Amino acid sequence: MSHRSPYLTISLAILSLLLVFVLIINPEPSFQAAVRGLNIWWEVVFPALLPFIFVSEVLMGVGVVHFIGVLLEPLMRPLFNVPGTGGFVLTMGFSSGYPVAANLTTRLRERGHITKVEGERLVTFATTGDPLFVIGAVAVGFFNSEQLGYVIAFTHYSAAILLGILYRMYSLLPPLQLLMKNHSIPYFTGPYKLCIAPESVTIVPLAS
């Protein structure tokens, strides 16, 4: 059971009350912002997500994902250290945005197509914004510039691919718990050796 600091609890409570107070004294801007957010969701986010969610479920149901995994294994494994089925998740994530990639990764994990570590690697770079949202909502909607949208999209997806390449090294070393499972790990601290084992912690004097 986690214990939260009382100072953190009080700070969060104060911030929540301040937020409510600001909303009360500024009802019209708050209402307009809420309406704008709902419009963006209904006109941009919802149409961009719904078709891809249906298509991804159909493709997984008929076995296309396994076929794509076999084709993309030579690319995905050396580049991102994930199975070829990750290519399907990457394609759907780049084209439809979050949370489709995270959902598909969970489905692949549940079906045993990927391991836990591979799923963690995959989510880090496949979960991105879709082009319609990046170019339409962000660039045009907020900055009124379609050209800026292509710059943002290129930066966004390039950073995701770079993160995937860098993150391919994730969890190559076994966790500390596995190292400690059958062996004690010595830590040299001055004249003593601290041996950490799964069952105990022992301080052993070093021979002079």
Side-chain angles (χ1 to χ4, degrees), residues 119-131:
E120 292 172 351
R121 291 196 197 106
L122 189 57
V123 168
T124 56
F125 67 94
T127 305
T128 62
D130 64 278

Side-chain angles (χ1 to χ4, degrees), residues 72-100:
L72 296 181
E73 180 75 20
L75 174 65
M76 299 298 294
R77 180 62 70 180
L79 194 60
F80 302 112
N81 199 16
V82 296
T85 51
F88 173 75
V89 178
L90 180 63
T91 303
M92 297 300 294
F94 276 24
S95 59
S96 59
Y98 37 76
V100 174

